[in-house]
Structure formats: structure tokens, C-alpha cells
């Protein structure tokens, strides 16, 4: 007879404490169904790369390999290809940033840049301030480095500077070390809102007063539907703002090319950190992006993306206005991929998800975008991938699901709210979920 | 032989099914079968007509896979398949129906009621919940009447937890099953059919770290401890083995099944539910039983495949 049983994982007692939250998620398993064609997925954030001219890209890539294959298939610099870094300056000029190519570090998507910045800045227990709600991928990085994440209230105009100052004062009084303020001022993921210029200045004023390093994440900045590009915070504050950029939404997410722009001292450390993480970003992808920027009409292509997403945003908002039950509200994004929906009081978006999957529609429950259990009555809808007619059908289904949930609540009353549980970042879709 | 494993589907357990399908495919390829893992979609019947496999193995969990509908289609196509027939699946997948048939054979089942949302709405939720708890008592187990992997299942220890538990169950199924919670040792008893009759595989004893073998503990390696064979007295093992055979036969199951039972502190055995397509993932119970036996997953399914081909459908 066995003394000890089997746990089916011989390493279970050897993992770092931070791995304890890396567990199976019932919610994440439901997203597996989202990949089925019958399901209208308003869950994932996959860019609509079908809008690219793939034949043109194929020709460009083939030419690049023929002419520079030996470089493209070789190791490269840990900081990234020098010519691409020059080109990135041109892209950043669109959001008002003037910089030096020496201060750009090319990364494997901006997610890696985020990881490097946190690695360089944060010890376990250090505080990172984030918006309410915030990007789930960033929350995962902060958690991985054992940071204490503190949400700061956000409203229609974005991060509230008064609340930010109060939070900073409170935390300093408590003896906490605040290392970063992470913010997505343009076309926020998941909230779908954009900070106006004056609000950005107010936030920067608070940052200056408290010597806060601001980590500005700007993957959607060029995707404004009115064609106007919000001026980046980094454009007005080169010393305290670290800027994260990405080609995932403006060219293609599969290339995995992003960057971080940082002051000299920080940049030196980021390069060393990057080399220890991946040696160098993919030379193949960097040269592909570089070739694309040099030879293809990339600004026109971004306009195509903008028009595509605007049509889809309109389909989503128009149909929600027609069909969503009373008491449902949502943000009106002027760019980017997402709208943030607040459900009628009492509905829990996480508990509702299985019913939604039954009805062949998927979304991301709001709790995934907070570290502290907020977001039960909220959810994120993404309109970037499904076609407008599918979005209309998806909202029709979702409205029916919310109606059923209201019916259940009417039956069982406010006690039917599910009990609090620990947030689980696996409760959000994997990157390749539509 | 050319084998098509059906995995995926549209149920809440799609992810689990895909893993089960891949795991079984690997086991069968290792012993020389030509295996294709295929999702169910609008092209499936054409695919089956074109490829004409020797046998199909439905590894779909949850609705469509375990409620008999897909097997009805396979039967009408005259395709040999491994596993229970459609009528047996319909009965086994509906937990309240399966419980009543098993109880009639003298096996303990937790007392309980299965009610749709409309009953609570039409008769007044408070009154119905009060009546149900009077009958079932606390603690109670609330779960979807149809479904698996403990999705939507909650242990209710206080009356005020019942509404949210019901809402959680109704998210997965039209009908919720509220039954007496049986405290004890959870075990899984897998049965396979052989040329010589029913064979019970070594019993798996399940000890989740949190005390509740929920989805999280089922599919996160390391946080549940398993003993296979179970650390139980020989007499109780015999009772469990006999019960699993009776359940398999009573519900007219075919080829293989896994019964989930609980042994309470008095040593009484209780039937919880039976699975006609038990999970075959890295953390699932059936593969652990297979590994602890004198055979393995590939050999078991090799035998079942041959039996299916022999009977024709």
C-alpha cells in the first residue's frame, strides 16, 4: 500500500511562491469554445490582420530574405536593429515624440518591454499604480515580479489626478515604495477611453511632484477613428515617462515587434536585461518591419485599419443601443479595440459567462482587469476581429443572455450574487483567442 | 486500424475534451493505429464518408458528446464506435435519472431534488428553497443536472449560500440538482469490458488540497493527491467494484465507464454520477486506473476498438 499518493507533478514542492497562482481556470477553459465558428467572440483582442495586403507582404518578405537573408537569420543586437530604431523615431513622431534612436530598445512585442521595465525597477513588495481597470497582461507582469498593485480610480476623462495624488500620499505615509505609474492614456484597454490633453498634463504634474516614473503604454495611439492622433505623454515629459510602443496593431501582431523609449540610464539597464532574457529580438521580424516601413504605404494601411475598426465599433455601439437591457451602460471608444460595459446592478459577468457560451457569444469578465476583486458587474467587449454583421449577431445574443440573468436575479434576489473569490489572471483569454 | 477520435465540440468542456483526444491519440499511435483527431463541425459527416474509418471514438465531453445525440448519428451512419449507445448515454448524462435507476438496484444515492429555474420563479424562490433545504438538509451539493468536470458545482453550508449556488448551476444547465452532501472519501471506479466480461480497474482515491474536487483541483497538477489503488479495506473495495459493475450494467453502458462514488465515515458507499466518456487528460482519473492495472490506456482502447469493429456499430 502506498504511503504517499501521486500529485501528478513531481515538482509541486519546488516551485517559487509566485507560481502558486498559476492554476487551471474554469473561466479560461470556456474560452476554448470561442474559437468555434458558431461562437461570436467579442472576447479576444486579435487585430484584423486580414486587412493587410498579404500578397504585397509576401513579395516584400521574399525580397528581404533574398537580399538580406544572412542578416535576417542571424543573431542581432540586444538593443535592436539600428536602422529600425531610426524608423521607430519616425513612427513616434506621429504621437509628438522627438527622441534619439540610441534611447530606443526594440523588444519582442511591447509585452517584453513591459517585463523588462518591471524587472529593472521593481523589487518584491514595491508598489505599481494602475488605472481601474487596467490591462490584464500588465497586471500579470506586476504579479510575476511580486509587486503590490494599487488601482487608482479612472473616469470618463481617464485617470483621476486628484485620486492619484491622494493615493500616492496615502501610500507614502504608509511607508510604501511606489516605483511605477502604469497608464494607457489613448484608447485604453479595456476601458476604451482616452485622456484629453489637459488631463494628461495634470497626471504628469502629480508625477513630477512625487518623482513618479510613468510607464506609458501606447499600442493603439495611431488608431483614432477621427484620424487625430493623441499627443503622447512622453512628448511633453522625456525624463519621467518611459514609453512603450508596438507594431502589433499597426502592422501585424504575429511579427512580435515592439519597443521601449527610455532615458539613457534606464535604457542601458534595459539592454542588459533584454540580453539576459532573449539575447536579442528576432532579426527576421525586425528586418521585415523595417522593410515594410521603408517600402510600403504604412500610414495608408493604418488608415485602412482605422476605417475597419470604426465600422465595427459602430456596429457594436448601435446594436447595444438597440438591444441591451435597461441599466446597461458602456464607454464610447474613439479609437482602439474595446468598449467597457457595465451591467445592470446585481449581475456578475463571470458567473454569466457559461450561459453566454451556451448562447454562442463570448466576452471577457471584468474581474480579470483588477487585482482586488472589483469588476464583477463589468465586462470587456472587443470589436476588432469579428465582421460587423457578426458583431450585430453577437450583441443580439449577449442581450438575450443579460435578460436571462436579470430573470434569474428577479427570482433569487440580491443574495444570488456569487461569493467573493481570489482574482485569477488565467480568467482571461490566451493571446490567440479570437 | 484507421481510427477517428472525435474531440472538442461546443460544450463547456471543449478544452478538456481536446486534451483527452490528444492523449488517447498518442496512446493509440504508439501501438500502431492510424489516428486522426477531429472536431465536430458541419463537414464531419462528409469527412467520415470520405475517410471511412474502421472505428470512431467519441471523446467529446458534456452535451452532444455524452448526451447521446452524436452517437445517434454515428449509429445511423452504421459506423462502428467505441463507447455506450445513445439511449444509455441519455440516461447516464442526466444525473437525476441515473440516480433513480441506480438507487433501484439498492445502491445508496444522496437524497435530492432536481428543479428548473422556472419552478423557483413560478412558486416563489424563498418558499421552494426552504422546502428543498428541509428535505435535503445542510450541507448540500448544488450542481447542474447535466454536465461534468464539476463546472457550476458548489457545496452549500449555509442557507444564504443557496441562491448564488443555484445561479451558478443554472449558468451551465436548465435544471439544477440539489442533493445532500456526502462527506467522505471520493473515489473513481473505472470499468472496462473485455472478451471475458466486465473488469474493474484499480480504484483511485482523491484527496484535493482544499477538500473540494472542483474544476481547479481537477486540472491543476499538484494540488490534488491521488492514491491508486485506493487505501481502503478489502471489503469496501469489493463493495465499490460491485457497485461500479451494477451501475455499468443497470444503465446499459458499453465498453467503458467511470463511476464517481463516495465512501462515508461509516464505510457506506454512495453513488454520485457516472461518465460515459471519462476524461483522459494528464490529470484525469481513468488513465491513472489504467496505469495502475496490468495493462495501459493504449492496450485498453485497442481491445475496445477490436470489440467495436467486431460488433459493427
Amino acid at each position: 500500500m502506498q504511503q504517499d499518493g501521486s500529485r501528478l507533478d513531481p515538482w509541486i514542492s519546488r516551485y517559487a511562491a509566485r507560481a502558486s497562482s498559476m492554476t487551471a481556470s474554469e473561466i479560461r477553459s470556456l474560452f476554448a469554445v470561442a474559437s468555434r465558428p458558431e461562437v461570436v467572440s467579442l472576447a479576444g483582442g486579435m487585430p484584423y490582420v486580414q486587412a493587410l495586403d498579404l500578397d504585397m507582404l509576401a513579395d516584400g518578405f521574399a525580397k528581404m530574405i533574398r537580399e538580406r537573408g544572412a542578416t535576417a537569420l542571424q543573431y542581432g543586437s540586444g538593443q535592436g536593429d539600428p536602422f529600425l530604431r531610426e524608423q521607430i523615431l519616425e513612427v513616434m513622431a506621429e504621437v509628438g515624440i522627438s527622441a534619439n534612436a540610441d534611447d530606443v530598445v526594440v523588444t519582442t512585442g511591447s509585452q517584453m518591454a513591459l517585463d523588462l521595465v518591471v524587472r529593472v525597477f521593481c523589487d518584491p513588495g514595491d508598489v505599481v499604480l494602475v488605472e481601474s481597470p487596467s490591462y490584464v497582461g500588465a497586471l500579470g507582469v506586476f504579479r510575476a515580479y511580486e509587486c503590490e498593485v494599487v488601482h487608482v480610480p479612472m473616469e470618463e476623462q481617464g485617470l483621476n489626478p486628484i485620486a492619484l495624488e491622494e493615493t500616492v500620499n496615502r501610500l507614502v505615509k504608509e511607508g510604501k515604495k511606489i516605483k511605477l505609474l502604469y497608464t494607457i492614456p489613448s484608447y485604453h484597454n479595456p476601458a476604451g477611453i482616452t485622456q484629453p490633453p489637459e488631463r494628461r498634463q495634470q497626471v504628469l504634474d502629480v508625477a513630477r511632484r512625487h518623482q513618479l516614473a510613468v510607464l506609458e503604454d501606447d499600442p493603439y495611439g495611431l488608431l483614432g477613428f477621427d484620424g487625430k492622433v493623441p499627443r503622447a505623454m512622453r512628448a511633453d515629459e522625456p525624463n519621467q515617462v518611459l514609453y512603450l510602443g508596438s507594431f502589433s496593431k499597426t502592422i501585424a501582431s504575429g511579427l512580435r515587434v515592439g519597443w521601449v523609449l527610455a532615458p539613457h540610464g534606464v535604457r542601458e539597464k534595459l539592454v542588459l536585461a533584454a540580453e539576459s532574457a532573449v539575447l536579442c529580438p528576432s532579426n527576421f521580424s525586425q528586418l521585415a518591419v523595417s522593410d515594410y516601413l521603408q517600402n510600403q504605404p504604412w500610414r495608408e494601411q493604418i488608415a485602412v485599419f482605422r476605417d475597419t475598426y470604426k465600422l465595427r465599433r459602430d456596429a457594436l455601439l448601435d446594436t447595444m443601443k438597440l438591444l441591451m437591457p435597461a441599466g446597461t451602460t458602456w464607454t464610447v471608444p474613439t479609437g482602439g479595440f474595446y468598449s467597457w460595459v457595465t451591467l445592470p446592478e446585481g449581475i456578475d459577468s463571470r458567473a454569466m459567462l457559461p450561459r453566454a457560451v451556451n448562447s454562442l457569444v463570448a466576452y471577457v469578465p471584468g474581474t480579470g482587469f483588477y487585482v482586488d476583486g472589483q469588476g464583477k458587474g463589468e465586462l470587456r467587449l472587443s470589436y476588432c476581429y469579428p465582421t460587423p454583421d457578426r458583431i450585430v449577431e453577437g450583441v443580439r445574443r449577449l442581450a438575450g443572455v443579460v435578460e436571462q440573468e436579470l430573470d434569474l436575479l428577479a427570482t433569487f434576489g440580491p443574495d444570488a450574487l456569487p461569493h467573493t473569490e481570489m482574482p485569477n489572471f488565467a480568467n482571461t483569454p490566451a493571446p490567440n483567442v479570437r | 486500424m484507421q481510427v477517428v477520435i472525435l474531440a472538442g465540440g461546443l460544450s463547456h468542456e471543449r478544452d478538456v475534451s481536446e486534451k483527452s483526444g490528444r492523449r488517447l491519440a498518442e496512446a493509440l499511435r504508439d501501438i500502431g493505429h492510424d489516428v486522426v483527431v477531429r472536431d465536430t463541425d458541419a463537414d464531419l459527416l462528409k469527412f467520415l464518408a470520405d475517410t471511412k474509418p474502421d472505428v470512431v471514438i467519441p471523446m467529446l465531453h458534456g452535451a452532444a458528446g455524452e448526451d447521446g445525440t452524436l452517437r445517434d448519428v454515428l449509429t445511423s451512419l452504421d459506423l462502428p464506435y467505441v463507447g455506450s449507445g445513445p439511449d444509455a448515454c441519455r440516461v447516464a448524462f442526466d444525473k437525476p435519472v441515473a440516480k433513480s435507476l441506480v438507487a433501484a438496484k439498492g445502491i445508496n444515492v444522496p437524497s435530492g431534488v432536481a428543479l428548473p429555474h422556472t419552478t423557483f420563479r413560478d412558486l416563489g424562490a424563498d418558499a421552494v428553497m426552504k422546502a428543498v433545504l428541509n428535505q435535503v438538509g445542510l450541507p448540500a451539493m448544488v450542481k447542474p443536472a447535466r454536465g461534468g468536470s464539476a463546472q457550476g458545482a458548489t457545496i452549500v453550508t449555509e442557507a444564504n449560500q443557496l441562491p448564488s449556488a443555484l445561479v451558478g448551476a443554472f449558468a451551465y444547465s436548465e435544471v439544477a440538482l440539489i442533493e445532500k452532501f456526502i462527506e467522505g472519501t471520493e473515489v473513481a471506479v473505472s470499468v472496462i469490458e473485455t472478451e471475458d466480461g466486465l473488469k474493474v480497474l484499480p480504484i483511485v482515491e482523491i484527496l484535493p488540497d482544499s477538500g473540494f474536487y472542483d474544476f481547479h483541483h481537477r486540472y491543476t497538477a499538484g494540488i490534488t493527491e491521488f492514491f491508486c489503488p485506493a487505501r481502503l479495506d478489502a471489503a469496501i473495495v469489493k463493495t465499490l467494484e460491485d457497485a461500479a459493475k451494477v451501475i455499468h450494467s443497470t444503465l446499459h453502458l458499453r465498453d467503458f465507464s467511470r463511476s464517481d462514488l463516495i465512501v462515508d465515515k461509516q464505510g457506506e458507499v454512495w453513488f454520485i454520477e457516472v461518465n460515459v466518456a471519462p476524461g483522459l487528460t494528464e490529470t484525469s482519473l481513468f488513465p491513472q486506473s489504467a496505469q495502475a492495472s496490468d495493462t495501459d490506456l493504449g492496450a485498453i482502447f485497442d481491445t475496445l476498438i477490436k470489440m467495436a469493429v467486431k460488433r459493427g456499430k
Side-chain angles (χ1 to χ4, degrees):
Chain A
M1 191 154 296
Q2 291 169 266
Q3 294 301 309
D4 293 312
S6 166
R7 287 183 172 268
L8 305 178
D9 182 356
W11 306 109
I12 189 67
S13 62
R14 308 288 184 89
Y15 293 127
R18 74 181 77 93
S20 64
S21 61
M22 296 173 181
T23 60
S25 156
E26 186 174 337
I27 290 295
R28 193 177 182 116
S29 78
L30 293 176
F31 290 122
V33 186
S35 62
R36 288 279 306 215
E38 299 89 337
V39 177
V40 178
S41 177
L42 304 171
M46 280 170 52
Y48 191 69
V49 293
Q50 290 90 328
L52 290 162
D53 184 336
L54 295 177
D55 288 335
M56 192 170 73
L57 280 179
D59 293 344
F61 290 177
K63 183 168 173 285
M64 184 268 286
I65 284 293
R66 271 196 306 272
E67 294 176 359
R68 303 178 67 195
T71 305
L73 301 174
Q74 187 54 274
Y75 289 121
S77 149
Q79 189 172 356
D81 179 72
F83 185 63
L84 175 62
R85 286 189 275 123
E86 296 281 352
Q87 292 172 300
I88 286 171
L89 297 185
E90 204 182 325
V91 175
M92 288 195 294
E94 301 280 320
V95 293
I97 294 175
S98 169
N100 189 312
D102 279 352
D103 292 334
V104 174
V105 180
V106 181
T107 53
T108 305
S110 65
Q111 184 73 19
M112 180 191 161
L114 183 59
D115 187 278
L116 296 178
V117 169
V118 181
R119 183 189 301 200
V120 162
F121 272 84
C122 296
D123 290 315
D126 285 346
V127 172
V128 178
L129 302 174
V130 302
E131 287 141 342
S132 309
S134 187
Y135 167 50
V136 63
L139 298 180
V141 173
F142 304 144
R143 172 179 272 201
Y145 287 99
E146 302 174 75
C147 301
E148 181 184 344
V149 176
V150 177
H151 287 283
V152 178
M154 189 166 64
E155 52 213 16
E156 211 172 311
Q157 304 275 299
L159 194 63
N160 182 321
I162 296 170
L164 173 63
E165 185 128 43
E166 286 171 357
T167 305
V168 172
N169 285 333
R170 176 175 60 80
L171 291 168
V172 169
K173 208 171 169 183
E174 290 171 8
K176 301 276 177 66
K177 273 190 196 167
I178 306 171
K179 290 294 182 68
L180 294 168
L181 164 63
Y182 172 76
T183 180
I184 311 165
S186 301
Y187 317 124
H188 191 273
N189 175 10
I193 59 177
T194 297
Q195 273 189 338
E198 58 276 17
R199 179 59 71 93
R200 294 179 191 218
Q201 290 306 322
Q202 290 164 353
V203 170
L204 284 174
D205 287 343
V206 176
R208 289 186 191 106
R209 276 199 292 279
H210 295 275
Q211 278 294 298
L212 270 182
V214 177
L215 185 53
E216 179 183 20
D217 196 356
D218 192 23
Y220 310 100
L222 301 182
L223 294 176
F225 300 142
D226 57 5
K228 290 180 191 158
V229 178
R231 184 173 170 82
M233 295 170 84
R234 168 60 178 73
D236 296 316
E237 180 46 76
N239 296 319
Q240 274 183 252
V241 178
L242 283 72
Y243 179 87
L244 305 181
S246 173
F247 290 110
S248 289
K249 281 81 182 175
T250 51
I251 305 179
S253 49
L255 292 170
R256 309 304 304 127
V257 179
W259 70 91
V260 51
L261 171 67
H264 170 79
V266 179
R267 182 260 294 168
E268 293 277 293
K269 288 183 169 47
L270 290 175
V271 172
L272 292 172
E275 287 175 4
S276 79
V278 293
L279 293 183
C280 63
S282 158
N283 248 10
F284 179 93
S285 287
Q286 288 185 85
L287 295 195
V289 169
S290 179
D291 180 78
Y292 178 86
L293 291 172
Q294 192 169 23
N295 299 311
Q296 307 297 345
W298 61 272
R299 289 184 179 83
E300 285 80 351
Q301 179 59 50
I302 290 173
V304 170
F305 280 130
R306 278 201 297 259
D307 292 346
T308 302
Y309 296 138
K310 182 177 186 299
L311 277 175
R312 294 170 186 209
R313 187 271 319 253
D314 291 346
L316 182 85
L317 299 186
D318 292 349
T319 316
M320 283 206 288
K321 198 171 174 184
L322 276 176
L323 299 178
M324 290 303 275
T328 314
T329 60
W330 53 87
T331 58
V332 178
T334 53
F337 286 4
Y338 308 107
S339 176
W340 185 246
V341 176
T342 303
L343 295 166
E345 194 175 346
I347 295 183
D348 183 314
S349 61
R350 182 193 176 287
M352 186 174 77
L353 187 62
R355 183 187 302 286
V357 170
N358 267 345
S359 300
L360 304 180
V361 60
Y363 59 83
V364 185
T367 46
F369 303 95
Y370 295 91
V371 298
D372 55 7
Q374 294 184 71
K376 280 186 173 180
E378 297 161 335
L379 57 87
R380 188 190 76 179
L381 294 183
S382 162
Y383 48 80
C384 50
Y385 197 82
T387 55
D389 59 322
R390 294 286 288 164
I391 290 171
V392 169
E393 176 59 20
V395 174
R396 189 188 66 74
R397 293 175 190 175
L398 181 61
V401 171
V402 175
E403 294 281 8
Q404 290 171 38
E405 211 67 12
L406 285 170
D407 194 22
L408 268 177
L409 272 182
T411 300
F412 292 104
D415 285 347
L417 274 176
H419 303 288
T420 306
E421 61 180 56
M422 289 298 288
N424 182 347
F425 293 121
N427 282 347
T428 50
N432 62 342
V433 168
R434 285 191 289 128
Chain B
M1 270 193 247
Q2 193 176 16
V3 180
V4 170
I5 297 173
L6 299 177
L10 255 175
S11 88
H12 295 122
E13 295 179 80
R14 172 183 175 81
D15 189 35
V16 179
S17 167
E18 287 176 327
K19 289 175 183 163
S20 292
R22 288 196 293 268
R23 180 99 190 268
L24 179 58
E26 188 185 353
L28 291 177
R29 284 178 188 134
D30 281 350
I31 54 172
H33 288 290
D34 177 9
V35 184
V36 174
V37 181
R38 184 70 163 73
D39 203 346
T40 54
D41 56 30
D43 298 327
L44 176 64
L45 299 193
K46 182 176 183 311
F47 169 80
L48 292 173
D50 291 347
T51 54
K52 298 182 180 61
D54 297 308
V55 68
V56 176
I57 307 178
M59 256 305 132
L60 297 150
H61 304 319
E66 292 185 84
D67 70 359
T69 50
L70 180 77
R71 293 162 200 244
D72 265 329
V73 176
L74 294 174
T75 304
S76 66
L77 292 174
D78 274 341
L79 270 173
Y81 62 91
V82 171
S84 298
D87 292 338
C89 287
R90 269 186 278 279
V91 170
F93 191 58
D94 194 310
K95 294 183 180 93
V97 174
K99 270 176 65 177
S100 62
L101 293 171
V102 170
K105 291 292 178 181
I107 296 172
N108 295 321
V109 300
S111 61
V113 287
L115 297 172
H117 164 218
T118 48
T119 302
F120 292 92
R121 188 185 61 200
D122 298 347
L123 301 181
D126 286 344
V128 176
M129 286 191 289
K130 195 173 172 188
V132 167
L133 285 184
N134 273 343
Q135 182 193 337
V136 172
L138 287 172
M141 173 61 81
V142 179
K143 57 189 177 184
R146 295 153 63 90
S149 289
Q151 289 176 321
T154 310
I155 299 171
V156 170
T157 55
E158 293 173 31
N160 64 7
Q161 297 167 345
L162 185 57
S164 67
L166 286 166
V167 169
F170 286 131
Y172 285 94
S173 174
E174 293 294 314
V175 177
L177 177 58
I178 308 123
E179 61 185 20
K180 183 179 169 59
F181 175 71
I182 307 294
E183 196 174 348
T185 304
E186 276 191 77
V187 293
V189 191
S190 298
V191 171
I192 56 172
E193 292 182 12
T194 69
E195 300 287 358
D196 304 322
L198 285 182
K199 177 180 175 181
V200 182
L201 299 177
I203 295 169
V204 186
E205 178 186 345
I206 305 154
L207 264 86
D209 284 356
S210 76
F212 180 28
Y213 191 45
D214 56 8
F215 185 93
H216 179 70
H217 284 81
R218 282 167 197 250
Y219 299 109
T220 304
I223 62 172
T224 298
E225 192 172 16
F226 302 96
F227 291 87
C228 187
R231 302 165 303 169
L232 296 166
D233 290 345
I236 293 177
V237 169
K238 176 77 168 58
T239 306
L240 288 166
E241 289 175 344
D242 291 346
K245 285 182 186 172
V246 169
I247 294 161
H248 189 92
S249 306
T250 301
L251 302 180
H252 303 289
L253 304 181
R254 192 171 67 187
D255 290 341
F256 68 119
S257 66
R258 192 197 78 214
S259 289
D260 296 343
L261 301 125
I262 291 178
V263 182
D264 71 14
K265 285 176 181 166
Q266 287 71 45
E268 291 287 320
V269 167
W270 299 79
F271 169 71
I272 303 301
E273 61 188 66
V274 67
N275 301 270
V276 297
L280 303 180
T281 72
E282 294 80 355
T283 55
S284 292
L285 302 163
F286 190 95
Q288 293 186 58
S289 290
Q291 195 178 348
S293 70
D294 53 1
T295 177
D296 59 36
L297 196 61
I300 287 171
F301 274 86
D302 187 50
T303 303
L304 297 179
I305 285 168
K306 285 171 183 155
M307 287 165 57
V309 170
K310 195 171 169 187
R311 70 174 171 253
K313 61 179 176 178

